[in-house]
Amino acid sequence: MSGNRISYGKKVFYILLFISIAFFAAGIFFFASKIFPRLNSQNPIFESEGYDRKNHVLVVGQADNSAFLYQVFEGAKSLAVQFNSVVELRAPELQADNMDLQTLVDYAALVNCDGIIAYVNPQVKKLQKPVRVDGTEIPMITIGYYVPEIPQISFIGNNYSSLGMQLGIESESMARNSEKAFIVISGKSKNPNYGNLVNNIVSFYKSKEIHNYEVLDKSTEENEEKITDAIEDPQLKNISIICLTEEDSLKVMRIISSVPASHKTKVLCFGENETLEIYLKKGFITKLVSLDPEKIGRTAMRELFEYRNRGYANSYISAEIRVRKGK
Protein backbone atom coordinates (compact mmCIF):
# COMPACT_ATOMS: atom_id res chain seq x y z
CA MET A 1 0.00 0.00 0.00
CA SER A 2 2.86 2.33 0.93
CA GLY A 3 4.61 1.47 -2.34
CA ASN A 4 1.47 2.34 -4.31
CA ARG A 5 1.28 5.75 -2.61
CA ILE A 6 4.90 6.47 -3.49
CA SER A 7 4.32 5.35 -7.05
CA TYR A 8 1.21 7.53 -7.32
CA GLY A 9 3.10 10.50 -5.86
CA LYS A 10 5.86 10.07 -8.44
CA LYS A 11 3.31 9.97 -11.25
CA VAL A 12 1.70 13.19 -10.04
CA PHE A 13 5.13 14.82 -9.71
CA TYR A 14 6.17 13.85 -13.25
CA ILE A 15 2.83 14.94 -14.71
CA LEU A 16 3.11 18.36 -13.02
CA LEU A 17 6.74 18.64 -14.13
CA PHE A 18 5.75 17.82 -17.72
CA ILE A 19 2.94 20.42 -17.65
CA SER A 20 5.33 23.09 -16.27
CA ILE A 21 7.91 22.36 -18.96
CA ALA A 22 5.21 22.45 -21.64
CA PHE A 23 3.95 25.86 -20.47
CA PHE A 24 7.52 27.18 -20.29
CA ALA A 25 8.26 25.94 -23.80
CA ALA A 26 5.00 27.40 -25.09
CA GLY A 27 5.90 30.77 -23.55
CA ILE A 28 9.30 30.78 -25.23
CA PHE A 29 7.72 29.73 -28.55
CA PHE A 30 5.16 32.54 -28.30
CA PHE A 31 7.83 35.13 -27.53
CA ALA A 32 10.06 33.86 -30.32
CA SER A 33 7.29 33.70 -32.90
CA LYS A 34 5.46 36.93 -32.04
CA ILE A 35 7.97 39.30 -30.46
CA PHE A 36 11.30 38.36 -32.08
CA PRO A 37 10.11 39.20 -35.63
CA ARG A 38 8.98 42.65 -34.42
CA LEU A 39 12.28 43.25 -32.65
CA ASN A 40 14.27 42.14 -35.66
CA SER A 41 12.27 44.36 -38.00
CA GLN A 42 12.78 47.49 -35.90
CA ASN A 43 14.96 50.29 -37.16
CA PRO A 44 17.31 51.71 -36.22
CA ILE A 45 19.26 48.83 -34.61
CA PHE A 46 22.92 49.64 -33.97
CA GLU A 47 25.74 47.49 -32.71
CA SER A 48 29.34 48.22 -31.90
CA GLU A 49 31.89 46.21 -33.85
CA GLY A 50 33.47 43.05 -32.46
CA TYR A 51 31.06 40.11 -32.41
CA ASP A 52 33.61 37.82 -30.72
CA ARG A 53 33.84 39.96 -27.61
CA LYS A 54 33.10 38.43 -24.24
CA ASN A 55 30.21 40.62 -23.03
CA HIS A 56 26.92 41.82 -24.50
CA VAL A 57 25.27 45.05 -23.27
CA LEU A 58 21.82 46.20 -24.45
CA VAL A 59 20.57 49.80 -24.48
CA VAL A 60 16.75 49.73 -24.63
CA GLY A 61 13.93 52.28 -24.71
CA GLN A 62 10.96 53.57 -26.67
CA ALA A 63 10.41 55.70 -29.75
CA ASP A 64 9.86 58.99 -27.87
CA ASN A 65 13.47 58.90 -26.69
CA SER A 66 15.21 57.21 -29.63
CA ALA A 67 17.45 60.19 -30.49
CA PHE A 68 18.55 60.57 -26.87
CA LEU A 69 19.11 56.81 -26.57
CA TYR A 70 21.25 56.75 -29.69
CA GLN A 71 23.60 59.23 -28.01
CA VAL A 72 23.57 57.13 -24.81
CA PHE A 73 24.50 54.17 -27.03
CA GLU A 74 27.33 56.18 -28.59
CA GLY A 75 28.70 56.93 -25.12
CA ALA A 76 28.47 53.29 -24.05
CA LYS A 77 29.99 52.12 -27.35
CA SER A 78 33.03 54.35 -26.81
CA LEU A 79 33.99 52.04 -23.91
CA ALA A 80 33.11 48.78 -25.67
CA VAL A 81 36.73 47.78 -26.36
CA GLN A 82 37.82 48.65 -22.80
CA PHE A 83 35.18 46.32 -21.36
CA ASN A 84 35.48 43.64 -24.08
CA SER A 85 31.83 44.14 -25.03
CA VAL A 86 29.41 44.32 -27.90
CA VAL A 87 26.95 47.16 -27.23
CA GLU A 88 23.56 46.97 -28.94
CA LEU A 89 20.76 49.53 -29.17
CA ARG A 90 17.12 48.47 -29.35
CA ALA A 91 14.99 51.60 -29.66
CA PRO A 92 12.36 51.93 -32.42
CA GLU A 93 12.51 55.05 -34.53
CA LEU A 94 8.77 55.13 -35.26
CA GLN A 95 5.78 55.13 -32.90
CA ALA A 96 4.20 52.44 -35.07
CA ASP A 97 7.07 50.10 -34.15
CA ASN A 98 6.89 50.89 -30.44
CA MET A 99 6.59 48.21 -27.78
CA ASP A 100 6.49 48.36 -24.01
CA LEU A 101 9.69 48.45 -22.00
CA GLN A 102 8.97 45.11 -20.29
CA THR A 103 9.02 43.37 -23.67
CA LEU A 104 12.41 44.88 -24.49
CA VAL A 105 13.77 43.83 -21.07
CA ASP A 106 12.38 40.31 -21.61
CA TYR A 107 14.16 40.19 -24.95
CA ALA A 108 17.42 41.16 -23.24
CA ALA A 109 16.91 38.28 -20.79
CA LEU A 110 16.12 35.79 -23.54
CA VAL A 111 19.32 36.57 -25.47
CA ASN A 112 21.30 36.17 -22.22
CA CYS A 113 22.89 39.63 -22.32
CA ASP A 114 25.33 40.67 -19.59
CA GLY A 115 23.88 44.09 -18.76
CA ILE A 116 20.97 46.41 -19.58
CA ILE A 117 20.80 50.20 -19.81
CA ALA A 118 17.08 51.07 -19.89
CA TYR A 119 15.33 54.42 -20.42
CA VAL A 120 12.28 54.60 -18.13
CA ASN A 121 9.37 56.85 -19.15
CA PRO A 122 6.98 58.45 -16.60
CA GLN A 123 4.30 55.90 -17.62
CA VAL A 124 6.38 52.93 -16.43
CA LYS A 125 5.43 52.02 -12.86
CA LYS A 126 7.26 48.70 -12.49
CA LEU A 127 9.36 46.15 -14.34
CA GLN A 128 9.96 42.49 -13.63
CA LYS A 129 13.48 41.52 -12.69
CA PRO A 130 15.54 40.67 -15.80
CA VAL A 131 16.65 37.04 -15.43
CA ARG A 132 18.60 34.86 -17.87
CA VAL A 133 17.38 31.43 -18.97
CA ASP A 134 19.65 29.83 -16.33
CA GLY A 135 17.99 31.87 -13.55
CA THR A 136 20.79 34.37 -12.92
CA GLU A 137 19.88 38.04 -12.63
CA ILE A 138 20.98 40.55 -15.28
CA PRO A 139 22.25 43.85 -13.81
CA MET A 140 20.15 46.77 -15.07
CA ILE A 141 20.89 50.49 -14.92
CA THR A 142 17.97 52.87 -15.48
CA ILE A 143 18.01 56.40 -16.84
CA GLY A 144 15.24 58.93 -17.49
CA TYR A 145 12.76 58.71 -14.60
CA TYR A 146 13.46 57.14 -11.23
CA VAL A 147 10.99 54.46 -10.10
CA PRO A 148 12.02 52.86 -6.77
CA GLU A 149 10.06 49.66 -7.46
CA ILE A 150 12.16 48.80 -10.53
CA PRO A 151 14.91 46.20 -9.85
CA GLN A 152 17.83 48.43 -10.83
CA ILE A 153 21.39 48.37 -9.55
CA SER A 154 21.79 52.11 -10.31
CA PHE A 155 19.81 55.09 -11.52
CA ILE A 156 21.55 57.89 -13.43
CA GLY A 157 19.54 61.11 -13.46
CA ASN A 158 18.66 64.40 -11.80
CA ASN A 159 20.08 65.83 -8.63
CA TYR A 160 17.15 68.15 -7.97
CA SER A 161 19.04 70.62 -5.77
CA SER A 162 21.83 71.27 -8.25
CA LEU A 163 19.41 71.10 -11.21
CA GLY A 164 17.31 73.92 -9.71
CA MET A 165 20.41 76.08 -9.40
CA GLN A 166 21.52 75.25 -12.96
CA LEU A 167 18.09 76.05 -14.41
CA GLY A 168 18.19 79.35 -12.51
CA ILE A 169 21.57 80.19 -14.06
CA GLU A 170 20.41 79.26 -17.57
CA SER A 171 17.16 81.26 -17.30
CA GLU A 172 18.53 84.30 -15.43
CA SER A 173 18.93 86.57 -18.47
CA MET A 174 15.52 85.58 -19.88
CA ALA A 175 13.73 86.27 -16.58
CA ARG A 176 15.56 89.52 -15.86
CA ASN A 177 14.75 91.00 -19.28
CA SER A 178 11.06 89.99 -19.23
CA GLU A 179 8.10 91.87 -17.85
CA LYS A 180 6.83 88.58 -16.46
CA ALA A 181 8.50 85.19 -15.91
CA PHE A 182 6.55 81.99 -15.25
CA ILE A 183 8.10 78.95 -13.56
CA VAL A 184 5.91 76.01 -14.60
CA ILE A 185 5.64 72.85 -12.49
CA SER A 186 2.07 71.57 -13.01
CA GLY A 187 0.74 69.84 -9.91
CA LYS A 188 4.10 68.48 -8.73
CA SER A 189 5.49 71.05 -6.31
CA LYS A 190 4.24 68.99 -3.32
CA ASN A 191 6.49 66.13 -4.40
CA PRO A 192 9.65 66.51 -2.24
CA ASN A 193 12.03 66.26 -5.22
CA TYR A 194 10.16 68.78 -7.37
CA GLY A 195 9.56 71.01 -4.35
CA ASN A 196 13.33 71.04 -3.85
CA LEU A 197 13.78 71.91 -7.52
CA VAL A 198 11.38 74.88 -7.29
CA ASN A 199 12.88 76.13 -4.02
CA ASN A 200 16.38 76.17 -5.49
CA ILE A 201 15.46 78.09 -8.64
CA VAL A 202 13.44 80.60 -6.56
CA SER A 203 16.36 80.99 -4.13
CA PHE A 204 18.67 81.67 -7.05
CA TYR A 205 16.32 84.34 -8.46
CA LYS A 206 16.07 86.05 -5.07
CA SER A 207 19.86 86.05 -4.73
CA LYS A 208 20.03 87.85 -8.11
CA GLU A 209 17.20 90.26 -7.11
CA ILE A 210 14.84 88.95 -9.76
CA HIS A 211 11.30 89.46 -8.48
CA ASN A 212 9.08 89.51 -11.58
CA TYR A 213 8.41 85.74 -11.52
CA GLU A 214 5.39 83.63 -10.65
CA VAL A 215 5.41 79.90 -9.87
CA LEU A 216 2.61 78.09 -11.71
CA ASP A 217 2.08 74.93 -9.68
CA LYS A 218 -1.65 74.47 -10.18
CA SER A 219 -3.32 71.91 -12.43
CA THR A 220 -2.23 71.61 -16.06
CA GLU A 221 -5.44 73.23 -17.27
CA GLU A 222 -5.12 76.23 -14.93
CA ASN A 223 -1.47 76.72 -15.87
CA GLU A 224 -2.21 76.53 -19.59
CA GLU A 225 -4.98 79.12 -19.22
CA LYS A 226 -2.65 81.46 -17.31
CA ILE A 227 0.08 81.15 -19.95
CA THR A 228 -2.32 81.65 -22.86
CA ASP A 229 -3.82 84.76 -21.22
CA ALA A 230 -0.35 86.22 -20.66
CA ILE A 231 0.72 85.62 -24.27
CA GLU A 232 -2.46 87.20 -25.60
CA ASP A 233 -2.33 90.17 -23.17
CA PRO A 234 -1.45 93.27 -25.27
CA GLN A 235 -0.07 95.01 -22.17
CA LEU A 236 2.73 92.44 -21.84
CA LYS A 237 5.40 93.00 -24.49
CA ASN A 238 7.68 90.12 -23.52
CA ILE A 239 7.41 87.16 -21.17
CA SER A 240 9.57 84.19 -20.20
CA ILE A 241 8.45 80.65 -19.42
CA ILE A 242 10.72 78.24 -17.55
CA CYS A 243 9.48 74.65 -17.73
CA LEU A 244 10.83 72.33 -15.04
CA THR A 245 9.54 69.01 -16.44
CA GLU A 246 9.35 67.35 -19.82
CA GLU A 247 5.56 67.10 -19.62
CA ASP A 248 5.16 70.84 -19.01
CA SER A 249 7.68 71.58 -21.76
CA LEU A 250 5.59 69.67 -24.30
CA LYS A 251 2.34 71.28 -23.18
CA VAL A 252 3.79 74.80 -23.27
CA MET A 253 5.21 74.15 -26.73
CA ARG A 254 1.78 73.18 -28.03
CA ILE A 255 0.46 76.54 -26.81
CA ILE A 256 3.43 78.53 -28.16
CA SER A 257 3.21 76.93 -31.60
CA SER A 258 -0.49 77.69 -31.93
CA VAL A 259 -0.83 81.25 -30.51
CA PRO A 260 -0.10 84.11 -32.98
CA ALA A 261 1.49 86.41 -30.37
CA SER A 262 4.01 83.76 -29.27
CA HIS A 263 6.90 85.74 -30.83
CA LYS A 264 7.10 87.82 -27.64
CA THR A 265 7.77 84.70 -25.55
CA LYS A 266 11.11 83.16 -24.61
CA VAL A 267 10.96 79.58 -23.35
CA LEU A 268 13.39 77.35 -21.51
CA CYS A 269 12.38 73.69 -21.79
CA PHE A 270 13.66 70.63 -19.99
CA GLY A 271 13.64 67.08 -21.35
CA GLU A 272 14.89 64.54 -23.88
CA ASN A 273 11.71 64.02 -25.91
CA GLU A 274 12.01 63.78 -29.70
CA THR A 275 9.27 66.39 -30.16
CA LEU A 276 11.25 68.96 -28.17
CA GLU A 277 14.16 68.44 -30.56
CA ILE A 278 11.86 69.46 -33.43
CA TYR A 279 10.62 72.58 -31.61
CA LEU A 280 14.24 73.52 -30.86
CA LYS A 281 15.22 73.28 -34.54
CA LYS A 282 12.19 75.35 -35.53
CA GLY A 283 13.19 78.11 -33.11
CA PHE A 284 10.22 77.88 -30.74
CA ILE A 285 12.52 76.97 -27.84
CA THR A 286 15.05 79.55 -26.62
CA LYS A 287 17.04 76.99 -24.60
CA LEU A 288 16.65 73.24 -24.25
CA VAL A 289 18.19 71.74 -21.14
CA SER A 290 18.64 67.98 -20.97
CA LEU A 291 20.92 65.46 -19.36
CA ASP A 292 24.19 64.76 -21.23
CA PRO A 293 23.44 61.43 -22.98
CA GLU A 294 26.95 60.39 -24.05
CA LYS A 295 28.32 60.91 -20.54
CA ILE A 296 25.37 58.90 -19.21
CA GLY A 297 26.28 56.04 -21.58
CA ARG A 298 29.89 56.03 -20.43
CA THR A 299 28.91 56.24 -16.75
CA ALA A 300 26.42 53.39 -17.17
CA MET A 301 29.08 51.11 -18.73
CA ARG A 302 31.51 51.80 -15.89
CA GLU A 303 28.83 51.11 -13.27
CA LEU A 304 27.74 47.86 -14.95
CA PHE A 305 31.24 46.45 -14.90
CA GLU A 306 31.99 47.83 -11.44
CA TYR A 307 28.99 45.78 -10.31
CA ARG A 308 30.05 42.69 -12.23
CA ASN A 309 33.64 42.82 -10.96
CA ARG A 310 33.07 43.92 -7.37
CA GLY A 311 29.44 43.13 -6.62
CA TYR A 312 28.27 46.66 -5.86
CA ALA A 313 27.38 49.93 -7.63
CA ASN A 314 26.29 53.45 -6.68
CA SER A 315 22.51 53.36 -6.32
CA TYR A 316 21.94 56.98 -7.47
CA ILE A 317 24.27 58.92 -9.75
CA SER A 318 23.80 62.58 -10.69
CA ALA A 319 24.01 63.22 -14.43
CA GLU A 320 25.53 66.30 -15.99
CA ILE A 321 23.29 68.59 -18.04
CA ARG A 322 23.57 69.74 -21.63
CA VAL A 323 22.25 73.14 -22.82
CA ARG A 324 21.37 73.90 -26.45
CA LYS A 325 20.11 77.18 -27.88
CA GLY A 326 17.36 77.50 -30.46
CA LYS A 327 17.79 79.22 -33.80
Side-chain angles (χ1 to χ4, degrees):
M1 190 73 174
S2 175
N4 288 339
R5 284 177 182 167
I6 293 171
S7 177
Y8 176 76
K10 283 185 176 179
K11 285 180 181 178
V12 171
F13 171 77
Y14 286 123
I15 289 170
L16 291 174
L17 180 63
F18 175 78
I19 292 171
S20 300
I21 293 171
F23 272 109
F24 181 72
I28 291 178
F29 175 78
F30 174 81
F31 192 93
S33 62
K34 300 293 185 183
I35 306 301
F36 257 63
R38 283 187 63 195
L39 283 164
N40 289 331
S41 66
Q42 283 183 357
N43 287 308
I45 298 173
F46 299 98
E47 278 189 333
S48 56
E49 296 176 358
Y51 295 97
D52 58 344
R53 289 180 188 157
K54 181 180 178 182
N55 304 302
H56 181 196
V57 176
L58 268 171
V59 180
V60 299
Q62 296 175 296
D64 286 346
N65 308 104
S66 60
F68 183 83
L69 275 166
Y70 178 74
Q71 293 172 77
V72 172
F73 161 75
E74 286 289 319
K77 187 181 73 170
S78 69
L79 298 181
V81 173
Q82 179 180 333
F83 293 111
N84 195 18
S85 300
V86 170
V87 182
E88 180 184 357
L89 172 64
R90 291 274 170 172
E93 192 172 36
L94 303 174
Q95 287 289 348
D97 297 326
N98 226 355
M99 57 179 59
D100 65 81
L101 188 59
Q102 184 64 63
T103 300
L104 292 164
V105 169
D106 289 343
Y107 166 78
L110 205 59
V111 298
N112 280 324
C113 78
D114 299 286
I116 302 169
I117 303 168
Y119 190 102
V120 176
N121 283 321
Q123 295 78 20
V124 178
K125 302 304 178 188
K126 62 179 180 178
L127 284 176
Q128 293 179 3
K129 185 182 295 184
V131 179
R132 298 184 189 87
V133 175
D134 65 3
T136 56
E137 185 176 345
I138 302 171
M140 179 167 66
I141 289 178
T142 59
I143 59 179
Y145 290 81
Y146 178 63
V147 180
E149 292 75 19
I150 288 178
Q152 58 218 330
I153 62 165
S154 296
F155 169 77
I156 304 174
N158 299 334
N159 177 314
Y160 289 90
S161 296
S162 62
L163 181 60
M165 185 68 68
Q166 289 170 316
L167 291 176
I169 292 169
E170 293 300 330
S171 62
E172 179 186 358
S173 176
M174 289 168 48
R176 188 182 300 281
N177 295 315
S178 298
E179 294 174 60
K180 190 75 176 178
F182 295 107
I183 301 170
V184 187
I185 182 81
S186 297
K188 290 188 176 181
S189 62
K190 291 182 180 179
N191 175 297
N193 286 329
Y194 287 107
N196 197 9
L197 178 63
V198 173
N199 289 339
N200 275 275
I201 191 171
V202 167
S203 295
F204 177 82
Y205 279 3
K206 287 180 178 178
S207 72
K208 298 296 180 179
E209 297 187 347
I210 298 172
H211 305 292
N212 59 330
Y213 64 86
E214 181 179 352
V215 177
L216 301 184
D217 60 353
K218 306 298 183 186
S219 68
T220 300
E221 292 74 19
E222 289 175 286
N223 287 348
E224 287 182 0
E225 183 179 354
K226 186 93 175 182
I227 290 167
T228 303
D229 289 345
I231 294 173
E232 293 179 341
D233 184 351
Q235 301 301 315
L236 288 173
K237 302 303 179 185
N238 55 79
I239 63 173
S240 293
I241 304 172
I242 297 91
C243 304
L244 304 188
T245 69
E246 187 170 277
E247 299 96 312
D248 282 323
S249 296
L250 289 167
K251 286 163 185 170
V252 166
M253 278 299 102
R254 291 190 191 104
I255 296 171
I256 296 295
S257 60
S258 61
V259 176
S262 61
H263 62 275
K264 68 179 185 181
T265 308
K266 293 187 180 298
V267 187
L268 181 146
C269 290
F270 180 83
E272 295 96 37
N273 191 283
E274 194 91 332
T275 306
L276 294 176
E277 298 277 344
I278 295 170
Y279 283 124
L280 180 71
K281 290 174 182 176
K282 289 184 175 180
F284 288 110
I285 296 175
T286 309
K287 283 186 178 181
L288 178 59
V289 179
S290 63
L291 304 182
D292 190 317
E294 291 198 18
K295 287 186 178 178
I296 286 174
R298 291 193 290 273
T299 302
M301 283 289 281
R302 292 189 184 101
E303 286 299 311
L304 277 175
F305 287 95
E306 178 84 3
Y307 181 81
R308 287 198 62 190
N309 296 333
R310 302 189 180 183
Y312 62 84
N314 296 305
S315 59
Y316 197 108
I317 302 167
S318 296
E320 294 183 31
I321 66 165
R322 176 178 63 165
V323 181
R324 287 170 290 166
K325 295 182 179 180
K327 294 180 178 179

